[in-house]
Amino acid sequence: MWKQLFELLRGSLFLGRDAVELRREVTHLREEMAEVQQALNQMAHDFEHLADREKLEREKLVLQLENALLRIERRLPPGKPSKE
């Protein structure tokens, strides 16, 4: 009987210790998850910013191409009038 009581007491102490340890681990995991979430948010912001910059660069290149085509067009001799 004393042995059973001792085992119950010992088991409850170990359960209490395990519960405290699990709470610490859960807290640590929550902190890590918050860090990961923050990193993902920063990456999403960076990708969005990069996409905006790339869009502006493409628009700039299109305008440069249009300007170059217009300059070339001005250098061409006038076309022959049509015989209509």
Side-chain angles (χ1 to χ4, degrees):
M1 166 129 175
W2 289 107
K3 185 176 180 181
Q4 288 176 338
L5 183 59
F6 176 74
E7 289 298 322
L8 284 174
L9 182 61
R10 183 173 166 239
S12 65
L13 288 174
F14 285 137
L15 282 175
R17 185 193 66 193
D18 291 346
V20 169
E21 183 62 31
L22 287 173
R23 280 189 205 113
R24 279 191 214 133
E25 288 179 19
V26 166
T27 302
H28 180 69
L29 288 173
R30 284 183 178 154
E31 290 170 356
E32 286 182 357
M33 286 297 292
E35 291 173 11
V36 168
Q37 183 64 41
Q38 185 178 5
L40 286 174
N41 288 341
Q42 182 63 42
M43 286 175 60
H45 175 71
D46 292 348
F47 282 132
E48 198 172 292
H49 181 69
L50 182 62
D52 290 343
R53 263 184 44 206
E54 287 178 352
K55 180 181 176 189
L56 290 174
E57 285 295 318
R58 283 192 302 271
E59 290 173 357
K60 182 179 169 184
L61 289 173
V62 167
L63 290 173
Q64 288 175 348
L65 179 61
E66 288 175 353
N67 286 337
L69 290 173
L70 288 171
R71 282 194 294 272
I72 290 171
E73 210 174 78
R74 275 190 255 139
R75 286 192 237 154
L76 292 176
K80 296 181 182 178
S82 58
K83 297 179 182 181
E84 290 178 16

